[in-house]
Amino acid sequence: VKKIKAGTYPTPKELEGPNHAIRTLNLSRYVEEVASALMEPQSKVKQADVPGMVMLCVEMHRRYATFAEALIPTLLSCVSSGGDANGGGDTGGLPRRVCFRLLTEFVLHGVIADVRSVARVVNEAAGVPSEEGKEYVVTDANLIVTFAKTGGCEVLGVVPRSVKQEVERVRKEVEGMG
């Protein structure tokens, strides 16, 4: 818990080891404390820290059913509260973009089964009009980009243009050889 509060997250490779503390220790008494430590790190969280955070959360969710119940409502309130896109405002918590990326990763890893909460946040950020005939007014482009990079392909089935072009180039290359 001290390492998480300090902003030191295990890498996915470290979590795969059979002797990692999450797999060997009984943390059932500290589930809520781990969840709150993730939401209030003492150091700035970078996008590079997110894969370790995600794998830590997936492992905690796998072992302790109450972990997701302790963490997900806080993440949703962080994302829904607004604030600026890069910081948690004056709360000192996780940046909004990191919270949203965690939520998206949780959908991809099966921690969150219902996609509606993520879809609602995307709709709000995209400024989906409530009435017909009105235009979209994007309120948070950074969240939309985060969603597209993290899970757009898996959740929406949207394949980036650069990937389509690369697949087409490789297909032509293979057909030219055959």
Side-chain angles (χ1 to χ4, degrees), residues 76-89:
L76 284 170
S77 68
C78 173
V79 172
S80 299
S81 66
D84 63 17
N86 295 323

Side-chain angles (χ1 to χ4, degrees), residues 52-94:
M53 291 173 74
V54 169
M55 295 314 294
L56 173 76
C57 293
V58 167
E59 195 62 35
M60 288 290 291
H61 173 69
R62 190 178 66 74
R63 290 195 63 198
Y64 310 105
T66 59
F67 182 74
E69 297 167 8
L71 181 65
I72 292 173
T74 312
L75 284 172
L76 284 170
S77 68
C78 173
V79 172
S80 299
S81 66
D84 63 17
N86 295 323
D90 296 332
T91 61
L94 285 177

Side-chain angles (χ1 to χ4, degrees), residues 97-128:
R97 271 188 14 205
V98 171
C99 289
F100 187 63
R101 181 168 173 198
L102 285 172
L103 284 172
T104 306
E105 291 280 356
F106 291 166
V107 167
L108 298 177
H109 284 89
V111 175
I112 299 176
D114 188 12
V115 185
R116 287 184 292 197
S117 57
V118 174
R120 182 179 43 81
V121 173
V122 171
N123 282 343
E124 289 172 5
V128 175

Side-chain angles (χ1 to χ4, degrees), residues 12 25 34 69 73-74 79 82 125 138 144 163-164:
L25 297 175
V34 170
E69 297 167 8
T74 312
V79 172
V138 177
I144 296 170
V163 172
K164 286 180 183 177

